[in-house]
Amino acid sequence: MKVNLTLKNDNIFEATNERGITIDLGAGIESGPSPMEVLLMAVGGCSGIDVLSTLKKMRQPISGLKISVAGTRRDEHPRYFTEVQVTYKLSGDLESAKVQRAIELSLDKYCSVSNMIEPKAKVSYKYEIIGGDSN
C-alpha cells in the first residue's frame, strides 16, 4: 500500500492513493479534512466494514448504519488522540447481543486502524438499534 502527497499551496496537500483517488489534506482548510480527521474517518470506515460483514455472516438483516467517531487529543505535542468514542446507529430487525459481538470483534480483533491507535488512545463504543435495543 502506498500513497503520495503533493504540495498544492500553503498548507494544502493533494493526497493520492494507488488507484488514483485524491483528497485535499491540510490543517484548517475548507476543501478537505485534516490528517487527524482522516484518522477518525478511517476508524469509522474500517470498523463499519467489519461490523457489516460480521452481521451478514450472523444472518442479521441490517438495513442501515451510521457511525460517528469523536476523538479527544492531548493539549501538548505530540497531540495524539487519548480517547476515541465510536457511536453506531444501526437499522434493521437486529439482535442486540449479536450487534454488540460484531462491534467488539471489529474493535478488538479485525479493525487494523482502531488496533493501531489503541496503544495511545482508549477506544470505546456505544450503539443504538433504531426501533430496537440500545447500549
Side-chain angles (χ1 to χ4, degrees):
M1 183 178 300
K2 181 180 175 183
V3 298
N4 293 303
L5 290 94
T6 303
L7 183 63
K8 288 175 66 172
N9 56 47
D10 289 330
N11 290 327
I12 301 173
F13 287 90
E14 180 178 80
T16 308
N17 67 9
E18 291 177 309
R19 296 180 310 281
I21 299 168
T22 65
I23 63 169
D24 285 344
L25 188 67
I29 64 171
E30 296 297 320
S31 61
S34 73
M36 295 302 279
E37 289 169 330
V38 171
L39 185 57
L40 292 179
M41 290 175 189
V43 169
C46 181
S47 182
I49 291 166
D50 294 339
V51 169
L52 283 174
S53 175
T54 302
L55 288 174
K56 287 178 183 178
K57 288 176 185 172
M58 293 176 169
R59 301 188 190 285
Q60 292 294 292
I62 185 166
S63 59
L65 175 59
K66 291 184 179 182
I67 301 169
S68 298
V69 185
T72 303
R73 296 173 66 184
R74 288 173 17 130
D75 290 331
E76 59 276 350
H77 291 280
R79 296 197 58 228
Y80 56 78
F81 291 114
T82 56
E83 295 180 37
V84 172
Q85 170 84 40
V86 187
T87 303
Y88 304 82
K89 288 190 177 186
L90 307 97
S91 302
D93 187 19
L94 304 167
E95 295 177 41
S96 183
K98 290 186 177 182
V99 168
Q100 183 171 347
R101 180 71 178 138
I103 293 169
E104 288 173 353
L105 281 170
S106 172
L107 295 178
D108 295 341
K109 184 174 182 179
Y110 295 116
C111 179
S112 303
V113 182
S114 66
N115 279 276
M116 184 177 66
I117 67 168
E118 184 100 49
K120 295 279 189 181
K122 178 183 182 263
V123 179
S124 60
Y125 73 90
K126 59 184 176 179
Y127 68 90
E128 176 183 1
I129 301 171
I130 306 302
D133 297 335
S134 297
N135 184 4

